[in-house]
Structure formats: C-alpha cells, structure tokens
Amino acid sequence: MSRRYDCADAEQRAAGLSEAVSAVRRGELVVLPTDTVYGIGADAFTPSAVTALLEAKGRGRDMPVPVLVGTVRAANALVENLGPYGQDLVDSFWPGPLTIICRANRSLSWDLGDAKGTVALRMPLHAVALDLLKETGPMAVSSANRSGAPAATTAADAEKQLGDSVSVYLDAGPSGDDVPSTILDLTTAVPRLLRQGAIPVGKLRGVIGYVATDADPGSDD
C-alpha cells in the first residue's frame, strides 16, 4: 500500500525522506517533487526497478529514463566526460531545469532502456529532491504520469495516475513550473536542442555560443 507524506510538515518530511530512501534501496518506486513537474523515480542501478518504472508509466524501452543527481560529482562519475560545453552549462544552469545528454561511463552496470550508450542527466533545483538524491545516489526519474497523460503537477495528480505501483509519495505542494526541462544533446560536435523547455535557447547560446535546433537558424524559440 502506498504512503504519502506532507513535506510542508517537518516531521512528515523527515519520515517521508527516510521511508523513500528505504523504498529506493529495496528496488521500489517513489514519487518526488522537482523544480518542474513531479517525477517517478527508482534506483538507477537496479534494472528490475527501472523496468517497474517503465511499466508503471506504460512506456517502452525505446524511451530511456533520464537520471537525476544530487551533486555535480555524482554526474561526473556517470559519464565518460562532459565534453567541451558540459561544464559551462552545469556551472550556469545546475541545479535547474536543464537536462544534458552525454556518453555514459562504459564501466557502469545499469539498464535505463535503449539509451545507445548515452545518459540524460539533470540536477533539480528542489530541496526535497536534492535531500533524497544525496542519500540514494543517482535515480532514474521520469515524469510522474501515465504515458500520454498530462504531467503531474501535484502529488495527488501523480497518485491518481500511478496508484499503488508507487510505494512512497513525497508531497511538496504544487510544482514550481509545469514546463519540462530543456534537453540538450552534447554527444554530437555541435550541441543540439532536443526539447524546448524551461530554459530558452537564447540563454544556452549566451553561455556556449551556437546551439543547433530544428527551427530556423537564427531563431531563439
């Protein structure tokens, strides 16, 4: 049976974080707040937990699960390198709503789906999420909704969609923003925008120069 904790209450927040950490270590699923929408998360290094996450969402392996981290050091351990642009982007936009795709460290034993040797990384700007991630280590996290349904902006929204497939719901009130993170692919010679999101392309270009998009070459949309 699922348990929901009100993180506005100090005692429930502490109890909820403790229970969420235990659940993740047992290979179970948790719902956590982020600076964008609520996420459904699992231990990134437990393949059965990642499979359960995909099943809870009704999503296939062709859409691999991103990974959230609580520190930049944790992110560096997961990738071959951040490339020529990654560190500047991390310094400018993390923690925050920027997801970067890098080549995964080939020594890692994990299965996030059909990621083709890459990993999508983000450090969220949310105290509850960061406290959880610093205890659990990297987590595979996707938006807390059934595939094709609207993203959950409250824990109650997530619970309506995901029910008892999730062990622990950390309720931190309405999400700060219903716009998803911006996704930038750093595995090619020129950084490429894969999803427009909370950070405009113009801000990315202000840090690293040219960013390839599917829009007109001069457009910042």
Side-chain angles (χ1 to χ4, degrees):
M1 182 176 177
S2 300
R3 296 169 298 284
R4 191 156 122 207
Y5 295 88
D6 179 3
C7 293
D9 178 277
E11 288 187 8
Q12 284 204 44
R13 185 183 191 276
L17 282 168
S18 177
E19 184 54 38
V21 170
S22 296
V24 170
R25 289 175 177 165
R26 292 193 299 267
E28 298 171 3
L29 305 180
V30 302
V31 159
L32 62 151
T34 77
D35 48 344
T36 58
V37 296
Y38 272 75
I40 177 174
D43 177 22
F45 296 100
T46 303
S48 60
V50 177
T51 297
L53 186 158
L54 292 170
E55 290 175 350
K57 284 181 60 74
R59 178 167 157 174
R61 287 177 50 82
D62 58 317
M63 297 178 69
V65 186
V67 173
L68 294 190
V69 293
T71 65
V72 175
R73 182 178 180 181
N76 274 297
L78 301 178
V79 300
E80 288 184 0
N81 59 71
L82 290 174
Y85 307 103
Q87 191 62 55
D88 288 341
L89 289 164
V90 164
D91 290 345
S92 298
F93 300 111
W94 278 15
L98 176 66
T99 298
I100 57 173
I101 297 178
C102 302
R103 293 288 173 194
N105 185 329
R106 284 172 286 186
S107 69
L108 296 177
S109 177
W110 61 2
D111 183 1
L112 301 171
D114 296 331
K116 299 180 174 62
T118 68
V119 59
L121 292 172
R122 185 164 92 84
M123 184 194 300
L125 181 57
H126 195 290
V128 173
L130 290 173
D131 284 350
L132 177 64
L133 290 161
K134 286 170 184 175
E135 290 295 324
T136 62
M139 287 180 62
V141 179
S142 183
S143 56
N145 57 282
R146 293 285 296 173
S147 187
T153 57
T154 67
D157 287 344
E159 192 167 9
K160 285 178 185 175
Q161 296 191 52
L162 301 170
D164 285 340
S165 64
V166 171
S167 295
V168 176
Y169 289 84
L170 297 177
D171 185 350
S175 60
D177 197 340
D178 61 0
V179 179
S181 66
T182 299
I183 300 179
L184 194 64
D185 185 355
L186 300 182
T187 65
T188 55
V190 175
R192 174 167 291 278
L193 183 75
L194 296 188
R195 181 175 75 189
Q196 296 188 38
I199 297 176
V201 178
K203 286 191 175 181
L204 300 175
R205 288 177 174 150
V207 173
I208 61 172
Y210 185 70
V211 174
T213 72
D214 292 330
D216 292 335
S219 173
D220 279 352
D221 293 337

